[in-house]
Short mmCIF file of all heavy atoms in Angstrom, two decimals:
data_model
loop_
_atom_site.label_atom_id
_atom_site.label_comp_id
_atom_site.label_asym_id
_atom_site.label_seq_id
_atom_site.Cartn_x
_atom_site.Cartn_y
_atom_site.Cartn_z
N PRO A 311 -25.42 -4.44 32.87
CA PRO A 311 -25.56 -5.75 32.26
C PRO A 311 -24.40 -6.65 32.64
O PRO A 311 -23.28 -6.17 32.82
CB PRO A 311 -25.50 -5.44 30.77
CG PRO A 311 -24.66 -4.22 30.69
CD PRO A 311 -24.97 -3.42 31.92
N ARG A 312 -24.69 -7.94 32.78
CA ARG A 312 -23.58 -8.85 33.05
C ARG A 312 -23.04 -9.43 31.75
O ARG A 312 -22.01 -10.08 31.73
CB ARG A 312 -23.99 -9.93 34.04
CG ARG A 312 -25.20 -10.71 33.63
CD ARG A 312 -25.61 -11.67 34.74
NE ARG A 312 -26.75 -12.46 34.30
CZ ARG A 312 -26.62 -13.63 33.67
NH1 ARG A 312 -25.44 -14.14 33.44
NH2 ARG A 312 -27.71 -14.26 33.27
N ILE A 313 -23.77 -9.17 30.66
CA ILE A 313 -23.30 -9.61 29.34
C ILE A 313 -23.30 -8.39 28.43
O ILE A 313 -24.32 -7.71 28.29
CB ILE A 313 -24.22 -10.69 28.76
CG1 ILE A 313 -24.37 -11.85 29.75
CG2 ILE A 313 -23.68 -11.18 27.42
CD1 ILE A 313 -25.45 -12.84 29.37
N LEU A 314 -22.15 -8.12 27.86
CA LEU A 314 -22.02 -6.89 27.10
C LEU A 314 -21.50 -7.17 25.70
O LEU A 314 -20.58 -7.98 25.51
CB LEU A 314 -21.04 -5.97 27.86
CG LEU A 314 -20.82 -4.57 27.34
CD1 LEU A 314 -22.11 -3.75 27.36
CD2 LEU A 314 -19.75 -3.86 28.19
N PHE A 315 -22.11 -6.51 24.72
CA PHE A 315 -21.67 -6.62 23.32
C PHE A 315 -21.15 -5.26 22.87
O PHE A 315 -21.87 -4.27 22.98
CB PHE A 315 -22.85 -7.03 22.43
CG PHE A 315 -23.36 -8.41 22.71
CD1 PHE A 315 -24.30 -8.63 23.71
CD2 PHE A 315 -22.91 -9.50 21.98
CE1 PHE A 315 -24.78 -9.91 23.98
CE2 PHE A 315 -23.37 -10.78 22.23
CZ PHE A 315 -24.30 -10.99 23.24
N LEU A 316 -19.94 -5.23 22.39
CA LEU A 316 -19.37 -3.98 21.90
C LEU A 316 -18.96 -4.18 20.45
O LEU A 316 -18.09 -4.99 20.14
CB LEU A 316 -18.14 -3.57 22.72
CG LEU A 316 -18.34 -3.37 24.22
CD1 LEU A 316 -17.01 -3.01 24.89
CD2 LEU A 316 -19.36 -2.28 24.47
N ASP A 317 -19.61 -3.43 19.56
CA ASP A 317 -19.31 -3.57 18.14
C ASP A 317 -18.34 -2.47 17.72
O ASP A 317 -18.70 -1.31 17.63
CB ASP A 317 -20.62 -3.47 17.33
CG ASP A 317 -20.42 -3.90 15.88
OD1 ASP A 317 -19.35 -4.42 15.54
OD2 ASP A 317 -21.37 -3.70 15.09
N GLU A 318 -17.10 -2.86 17.49
CA GLU A 318 -16.03 -1.93 17.12
C GLU A 318 -15.98 -0.69 18.01
O GLU A 318 -16.16 0.43 17.54
CB GLU A 318 -16.16 -1.53 15.64
CG GLU A 318 -16.02 -2.74 14.73
CD GLU A 318 -15.68 -2.36 13.30
OE1 GLU A 318 -15.07 -1.28 13.11
OE2 GLU A 318 -16.01 -3.13 12.40
N PRO A 319 -15.73 -0.90 19.31
CA PRO A 319 -15.79 0.22 20.24
C PRO A 319 -14.73 1.29 20.02
O PRO A 319 -14.89 2.40 20.50
CB PRO A 319 -15.60 -0.44 21.61
CG PRO A 319 -14.90 -1.72 21.33
CD PRO A 319 -15.39 -2.17 20.00
N THR A 320 -13.67 0.98 19.31
CA THR A 320 -12.61 2.00 19.18
C THR A 320 -12.28 2.39 17.75
O THR A 320 -11.34 3.13 17.51
CB THR A 320 -11.29 1.52 19.83
OG1 THR A 320 -10.77 0.42 19.07
CG2 THR A 320 -11.49 1.08 21.26
N THR A 321 -13.09 1.92 16.79
CA THR A 321 -12.81 2.31 15.40
C THR A 321 -12.93 3.82 15.27
O THR A 321 -13.90 4.41 15.72
CB THR A 321 -13.78 1.59 14.44
OG1 THR A 321 -13.53 0.20 14.54
CG2 THR A 321 -13.56 2.02 13.00
N GLY A 322 -11.92 4.42 14.68
CA GLY A 322 -11.97 5.87 14.45
C GLY A 322 -11.48 6.70 15.63
O GLY A 322 -11.48 7.92 15.56
N LEU A 323 -11.07 6.06 16.72
CA LEU A 323 -10.56 6.84 17.85
C LEU A 323 -9.06 7.07 17.71
O LEU A 323 -8.35 6.24 17.14
CB LEU A 323 -10.81 6.09 19.17
CG LEU A 323 -12.26 5.89 19.59
CD1 LEU A 323 -12.31 5.33 21.01
CD2 LEU A 323 -13.03 7.19 19.53
N ASP A 324 -8.58 8.18 18.26
CA ASP A 324 -7.13 8.40 18.26
C ASP A 324 -6.51 7.48 19.31
O ASP A 324 -7.21 6.93 20.15
CB ASP A 324 -6.80 9.88 18.49
CG ASP A 324 -7.22 10.37 19.87
OD1 ASP A 324 -7.11 9.59 20.84
OD2 ASP A 324 -7.66 11.51 19.97
N PRO A 325 -5.18 7.28 19.24
CA PRO A 325 -4.55 6.29 20.12
C PRO A 325 -4.82 6.53 21.61
O PRO A 325 -5.03 5.58 22.35
CB PRO A 325 -3.05 6.45 19.81
CG PRO A 325 -3.01 6.98 18.43
CD PRO A 325 -4.22 7.86 18.28
N ARG A 326 -4.86 7.79 22.02
CA ARG A 326 -5.07 8.06 23.44
C ARG A 326 -6.49 7.68 23.86
O ARG A 326 -6.69 7.05 24.90
CB ARG A 326 -4.80 9.54 23.73
CG ARG A 326 -4.54 9.78 25.18
CD ARG A 326 -4.14 11.20 25.47
NE ARG A 326 -4.81 11.61 26.69
CZ ARG A 326 -5.88 12.39 26.71
NH1 ARG A 326 -6.39 12.84 25.60
NH2 ARG A 326 -6.44 12.71 27.85
N SER A 327 -7.46 8.05 23.05
CA SER A 327 -8.84 7.69 23.38
C SER A 327 -9.02 6.18 23.35
O SER A 327 -9.80 5.62 24.11
CB SER A 327 -9.82 8.31 22.39
OG SER A 327 -9.59 9.69 22.29
N ARG A 328 -8.30 5.54 22.43
CA ARG A 328 -8.39 4.08 22.35
C ARG A 328 -7.88 3.44 23.64
O ARG A 328 -8.53 2.57 24.21
CB ARG A 328 -7.58 3.58 21.16
CG ARG A 328 -7.53 2.07 21.10
CD ARG A 328 -6.99 1.57 19.78
NE ARG A 328 -7.85 1.97 18.70
CZ ARG A 328 -7.49 1.94 17.42
NH1 ARG A 328 -6.28 1.57 17.10
NH2 ARG A 328 -8.33 2.29 16.49
N LEU A 329 -6.75 3.95 24.14
CA LEU A 329 -6.22 3.42 25.40
C LEU A 329 -7.21 3.64 26.54
O LEU A 329 -7.40 2.77 27.38
CB LEU A 329 -4.88 4.08 25.73
CG LEU A 329 -3.71 3.72 24.82
CD1 LEU A 329 -2.45 4.44 25.27
CD2 LEU A 329 -3.49 2.21 24.80
N GLY A 330 -7.83 4.81 26.54
CA GLY A 330 -8.84 5.12 27.57
C GLY A 330 -9.99 4.14 27.52
O GLY A 330 -10.46 3.65 28.55
N MET A 331 -10.43 3.84 26.31
CA MET A 331 -11.54 2.90 26.14
C MET A 331 -11.13 1.51 26.61
O MET A 331 -11.90 0.81 27.26
CB MET A 331 -11.96 2.89 24.67
CG MET A 331 -13.18 2.06 24.38
SD MET A 331 -14.66 2.64 25.25
CE MET A 331 -15.44 3.61 23.99
N TRP A 332 -9.90 1.12 26.30
CA TRP A 332 -9.42 -0.20 26.74
C TRP A 332 -9.45 -0.31 28.27
O TRP A 332 -9.81 -1.34 28.82
CB TRP A 332 -7.99 -0.45 26.25
CG TRP A 332 -7.89 -0.70 24.79
CD1 TRP A 332 -8.94 -0.79 23.90
CD2 TRP A 332 -6.69 -0.91 24.03
NE1 TRP A 332 -8.46 -1.03 22.64
CE2 TRP A 332 -7.09 -1.11 22.69
CE3 TRP A 332 -5.35 -0.94 24.34
CZ2 TRP A 332 -6.17 -1.34 21.66
CZ3 TRP A 332 -4.42 -1.17 23.33
CH2 TRP A 332 -4.83 -1.37 22.00
N GLU A 333 -9.06 0.80 28.92
CA GLU A 333 -9.04 0.82 30.37
C GLU A 333 -10.44 0.59 30.93
O GLU A 333 -10.64 -0.22 31.84
CB GLU A 333 -8.56 2.20 30.83
CG GLU A 333 -7.48 2.18 31.88
CD GLU A 333 -6.96 3.59 32.03
OE1 GLU A 333 -7.58 4.33 32.81
OE2 GLU A 333 -5.97 3.96 31.35
N VAL A 334 -11.39 1.31 30.36
CA VAL A 334 -12.77 1.17 30.80
C VAL A 334 -13.25 -0.26 30.59
O VAL A 334 -13.88 -0.86 31.47
CB VAL A 334 -13.67 2.14 29.98
CG1 VAL A 334 -15.12 1.81 30.19
CG2 VAL A 334 -13.38 3.58 30.36
N ILE A 335 -12.92 -0.83 29.45
CA ILE A 335 -13.37 -2.19 29.14
C ILE A 335 -12.74 -3.19 30.12
O ILE A 335 -13.40 -4.09 30.62
CB ILE A 335 -13.03 -2.54 27.67
CG1 ILE A 335 -13.90 -1.70 26.73
CG2 ILE A 335 -13.23 -4.03 27.40
CD1 ILE A 335 -13.53 -1.80 25.26
N ARG A 336 -11.44 -2.99 30.40
CA ARG A 336 -10.77 -3.89 31.34
C ARG A 336 -11.43 -3.86 32.72
O ARG A 336 -11.56 -4.88 33.37
CB ARG A 336 -9.30 -3.49 31.50
CG ARG A 336 -8.45 -4.12 30.45
CD ARG A 336 -6.99 -4.11 30.87
NE ARG A 336 -6.19 -4.14 29.66
CZ ARG A 336 -5.70 -3.07 29.06
NH1 ARG A 336 -5.87 -1.88 29.60
NH2 ARG A 336 -5.03 -3.19 27.95
N GLU A 337 -11.81 -2.65 33.13
CA GLU A 337 -12.49 -2.51 34.42
C GLU A 337 -13.77 -3.32 34.46
O GLU A 337 -14.06 -4.01 35.43
CB GLU A 337 -12.84 -1.04 34.64
CG GLU A 337 -11.95 -0.32 35.61
CD GLU A 337 -12.38 1.13 35.68
OE1 GLU A 337 -13.53 1.41 36.08
OE2 GLU A 337 -11.55 1.98 35.30
N LEU A 338 -14.53 -3.20 33.38
CA LEU A 338 -15.80 -3.93 33.32
C LEU A 338 -15.57 -5.43 33.42
O LEU A 338 -16.28 -6.13 34.13
CB LEU A 338 -16.52 -3.62 32.00
CG LEU A 338 -17.02 -2.19 31.84
CD1 LEU A 338 -17.51 -1.95 30.42
CD2 LEU A 338 -18.14 -1.94 32.84
N VAL A 339 -14.56 -5.90 32.71
CA VAL A 339 -14.26 -7.32 32.71
C VAL A 339 -13.81 -7.75 34.10
O VAL A 339 -14.18 -8.81 34.60
CB VAL A 339 -13.20 -7.66 31.64
CG1 VAL A 339 -12.77 -9.11 31.75
CG2 VAL A 339 -13.75 -7.36 30.25
N HIS A 340 -13.03 -6.90 34.72
CA HIS A 340 -12.55 -7.16 36.07
C HIS A 340 -13.73 -7.33 37.03
O HIS A 340 -13.68 -8.12 37.97
CB HIS A 340 -11.64 -6.03 36.51
CG HIS A 340 -10.98 -6.27 37.82
ND1 HIS A 340 -9.97 -7.19 37.96
CD2 HIS A 340 -11.19 -5.75 39.04
CE1 HIS A 340 -9.60 -7.22 39.23
NE2 HIS A 340 -10.31 -6.35 39.90
N GLU A 341 -14.78 -6.57 36.78
CA GLU A 341 -15.97 -6.65 37.64
C GLU A 341 -16.82 -7.87 37.33
O GLU A 341 -17.86 -8.10 37.94
CB GLU A 341 -16.82 -5.39 37.47
CG GLU A 341 -16.19 -4.16 38.10
CD GLU A 341 -16.82 -2.87 37.60
OE1 GLU A 341 -17.87 -2.92 36.92
OE2 GLU A 341 -16.24 -1.81 37.86
N GLY A 342 -16.41 -8.63 36.30
CA GLY A 342 -17.11 -9.89 36.04
C GLY A 342 -18.00 -9.92 34.82
O GLY A 342 -18.70 -10.89 34.57
N THR A 343 -18.01 -8.81 34.05
CA THR A 343 -18.83 -8.78 32.85
C THR A 343 -18.29 -9.77 31.81
O THR A 343 -17.08 -9.89 31.64
CB THR A 343 -18.79 -7.36 32.23
OG1 THR A 343 -19.17 -6.43 33.23
CG2 THR A 343 -19.71 -7.23 31.03
N THR A 344 -19.18 -10.46 31.15
CA THR A 344 -18.80 -11.29 30.01
C THR A 344 -18.92 -10.42 28.77
O THR A 344 -19.92 -9.72 28.59
CB THR A 344 -19.76 -12.50 29.88
OG1 THR A 344 -19.73 -13.22 31.10
CG2 THR A 344 -19.33 -13.40 28.72
N LEU A 345 -17.90 -10.45 27.94
CA LEU A 345 -17.84 -9.47 26.86
C LEU A 345 -17.60 -10.13 25.50
O LEU A 345 -16.72 -10.97 25.34
CB LEU A 345 -16.71 -8.49 27.17
CG LEU A 345 -16.38 -7.42 26.13
CD1 LEU A 345 -17.56 -6.49 25.92
CD2 LEU A 345 -15.17 -6.62 26.57
N LEU A 346 -18.41 -9.72 24.54
CA LEU A 346 -18.13 -10.06 23.15
C LEU A 346 -17.85 -8.74 22.44
O LEU A 346 -18.66 -7.82 22.48
CB LEU A 346 -19.30 -10.79 22.49
CG LEU A 346 -19.01 -11.32 21.07
CD1 LEU A 346 -19.84 -12.57 20.79
CD2 LEU A 346 -19.28 -10.28 19.99
N LEU A 347 -16.67 -8.68 21.83
CA LEU A 347 -16.18 -7.43 21.27
C LEU A 347 -15.79 -7.67 19.81
O LEU A 347 -15.07 -8.63 19.53
CB LEU A 347 -14.96 -7.06 22.10
CG LEU A 347 -13.90 -6.12 21.61
CD1 LEU A 347 -14.12 -4.80 22.34
CD2 LEU A 347 -12.53 -6.62 21.96
N THR A 348 -16.27 -6.85 18.90
CA THR A 348 -15.80 -6.99 17.52
C THR A 348 -14.75 -5.92 17.26
O THR A 348 -14.77 -4.85 17.87
CB THR A 348 -16.91 -6.83 16.47
OG1 THR A 348 -17.21 -5.44 16.35
CG2 THR A 348 -18.16 -7.60 16.85
N THR A 349 -13.83 -6.23 16.40
CA THR A 349 -12.80 -5.25 16.07
C THR A 349 -12.16 -5.59 14.74
O THR A 349 -12.27 -6.70 14.24
CB THR A 349 -11.72 -5.19 17.18
OG1 THR A 349 -10.75 -4.21 16.85
CG2 THR A 349 -11.03 -6.52 17.37
N GLN A 350 -11.51 -4.59 14.18
CA GLN A 350 -10.72 -4.85 12.98
C GLN A 350 -9.24 -4.88 13.33
O GLN A 350 -8.40 -5.05 12.47
CB GLN A 350 -10.95 -3.75 11.94
CG GLN A 350 -12.38 -3.61 11.54
CD GLN A 350 -12.55 -2.76 10.31
OE1 GLN A 350 -11.69 -2.75 9.44
NE2 GLN A 350 -13.65 -2.05 10.23
N TYR A 351 -8.93 -4.66 14.63
CA TYR A 351 -7.53 -4.54 15.02
C TYR A 351 -7.07 -5.73 15.85
O TYR A 351 -7.58 -5.96 16.94
CB TYR A 351 -7.32 -3.28 15.85
CG TYR A 351 -7.89 -2.04 15.22
CD1 TYR A 351 -8.96 -1.38 15.81
CD2 TYR A 351 -7.37 -1.55 14.03
CE1 TYR A 351 -9.49 -0.24 15.24
CE2 TYR A 351 -7.90 -0.41 13.46
CZ TYR A 351 -8.97 0.24 14.06
OH TYR A 351 -9.49 1.36 13.50
N LEU A 352 -6.09 -6.44 15.34
CA LEU A 352 -5.54 -7.57 16.09
C LEU A 352 -4.99 -7.08 17.42
O LEU A 352 -5.13 -7.72 18.45
CB LEU A 352 -4.44 -8.27 15.28
CG LEU A 352 -3.85 -9.49 15.97
CD1 LEU A 352 -4.87 -10.61 16.06
CD2 LEU A 352 -2.61 -9.98 15.27
N GLU A 353 -4.38 -5.92 17.38
CA GLU A 353 -3.78 -5.34 18.58
C GLU A 353 -4.82 -5.20 19.71
O GLU A 353 -4.53 -5.46 20.86
CB GLU A 353 -3.23 -3.97 18.19
CG GLU A 353 -2.37 -3.32 19.22
CD GLU A 353 -2.25 -1.83 18.97
OE1 GLU A 353 -2.81 -1.31 17.97
OE2 GLU A 353 -1.61 -1.17 19.80
N GLU A 354 -6.01 -4.79 19.31
CA GLU A 354 -7.05 -4.60 20.30
C GLU A 354 -7.52 -5.94 20.87
O GLU A 354 -7.70 -6.10 22.08
CB GLU A 354 -8.22 -3.88 19.65
CG GLU A 354 -9.37 -3.62 20.57
CD GLU A 354 -10.22 -2.48 20.04
OE1 GLU A 354 -9.68 -1.37 19.92
OE2 GLU A 354 -11.40 -2.71 19.74
N ALA A 355 -7.69 -6.90 19.98
CA ALA A 355 -8.08 -8.24 20.41
C ALA A 355 -7.01 -8.79 21.35
O ALA A 355 -7.30 -9.38 22.38
CB ALA A 355 -8.26 -9.14 19.20
N ASP A 356 -5.76 -8.54 20.96
CA ASP A 356 -4.61 -8.96 21.72
C ASP A 356 -4.65 -8.44 23.16
O ASP A 356 -4.40 -9.15 24.12
CB ASP A 356 -3.40 -8.34 21.02
CG ASP A 356 -2.16 -9.17 21.20
OD1 ASP A 356 -2.26 -10.20 21.85
OD2 ASP A 356 -1.12 -8.77 20.68
N GLU A 357 -4.95 -7.16 23.28
CA GLU A 357 -4.97 -6.49 24.58
C GLU A 357 -6.09 -7.01 25.46
O GLU A 357 -5.94 -7.13 26.67
CB GLU A 357 -5.19 -4.99 24.38
CG GLU A 357 -3.95 -4.24 23.98
CD GLU A 357 -2.94 -4.21 25.11
OE1 GLU A 357 -3.34 -4.15 26.28
OE2 GLU A 357 -1.74 -4.28 24.79
N LEU A 358 -7.24 -7.27 24.86
CA LEU A 358 -8.45 -7.44 25.67
C LEU A 358 -9.01 -8.85 25.72
O LEU A 358 -9.70 -9.21 26.66
CB LEU A 358 -9.55 -6.50 25.15
CG LEU A 358 -9.23 -5.00 25.17
CD1 LEU A 358 -10.33 -4.22 24.46
CD2 LEU A 358 -9.06 -4.50 26.59
N ALA A 359 -8.71 -9.65 24.69
CA ALA A 359 -9.47 -10.90 24.55
C ALA A 359 -8.78 -12.10 25.18
O ALA A 359 -7.57 -12.23 25.16
CB ALA A 359 -9.73 -11.19 23.07
N ASP A 360 -9.60 -12.98 25.75
CA ASP A 360 -9.10 -14.29 26.17
C ASP A 360 -9.01 -15.20 24.96
O ASP A 360 -8.12 -16.03 24.85
CB ASP A 360 -10.05 -14.90 27.19
CG ASP A 360 -10.11 -14.07 28.46
OD1 ASP A 360 -9.06 -13.88 29.08
OD2 ASP A 360 -11.20 -13.59 28.80
N GLU A 361 -9.96 -15.04 24.07
CA GLU A 361 -10.06 -15.91 22.90
C GLU A 361 -10.44 -15.03 21.70
O GLU A 361 -11.19 -14.08 21.85
CB GLU A 361 -11.15 -16.96 23.19
CG GLU A 361 -11.42 -17.93 22.09
CD GLU A 361 -10.60 -19.22 22.22
OE1 GLU A 361 -9.86 -19.38 23.22
OE2 GLU A 361 -10.70 -20.05 21.31
N ILE A 362 -9.91 -15.39 20.54
CA ILE A 362 -10.19 -14.62 19.33
C ILE A 362 -10.80 -15.53 18.28
O ILE A 362 -10.34 -16.66 18.09
CB ILE A 362 -8.89 -14.00 18.77
CG1 ILE A 362 -8.27 -13.03 19.79
CG2 ILE A 362 -9.14 -13.30 17.44
CD1 ILE A 362 -6.90 -12.50 19.40
N VAL A 363 -11.83 -15.02 17.63
CA VAL A 363 -12.42 -15.74 16.50
C VAL A 363 -12.27 -14.84 15.28
O VAL A 363 -12.67 -13.68 15.32
CB VAL A 363 -13.92 -16.03 16.76
CG1 VAL A 363 -14.63 -16.42 15.48
CG2 VAL A 363 -14.07 -17.13 17.79
N ILE A 364 -11.65 -15.36 14.23
CA ILE A 364 -11.50 -14.55 13.02
C ILE A 364 -12.56 -14.98 12.02
O ILE A 364 -12.69 -16.18 11.72
CB ILE A 364 -10.10 -14.72 12.40
CG1 ILE A 364 -9.04 -14.28 13.41
CG2 ILE A 364 -9.98 -13.92 11.11
CD1 ILE A 364 -7.63 -14.31 12.88
#
Side-chain angles (χ1 to χ4, degrees):
R312 55 185 183 90
I313 306 170
L314 185 62
F315 294 85
L316 302 179
D317 192 9
E318 297 199 27
T320 67
T321 296
L323 295 188
D324 65 37
R326 200 175 139 257
S327 307
R328 175 168 297 164
L329 291 180
M331 185 61 97
W332 288 357
E333 228 170 86
V334 167
I335 291 172
R336 274 199 206 95
E337 256 177 61
L338 292 171
V339 173
H340 186 72
E341 289 164 10
T343 306
T344 303
L345 176 63
L346 187 150
L347 160 104
T348 77
T349 181
Q350 302 193 32
Y351 310 113
L352 182 68
E353 190 198 358
E354 180 158 299
D356 209 0
E357 281 292 325
L358 300 173
D360 296 301
E361 179 93 3
I362 298 173
V363 164
I364 300 184

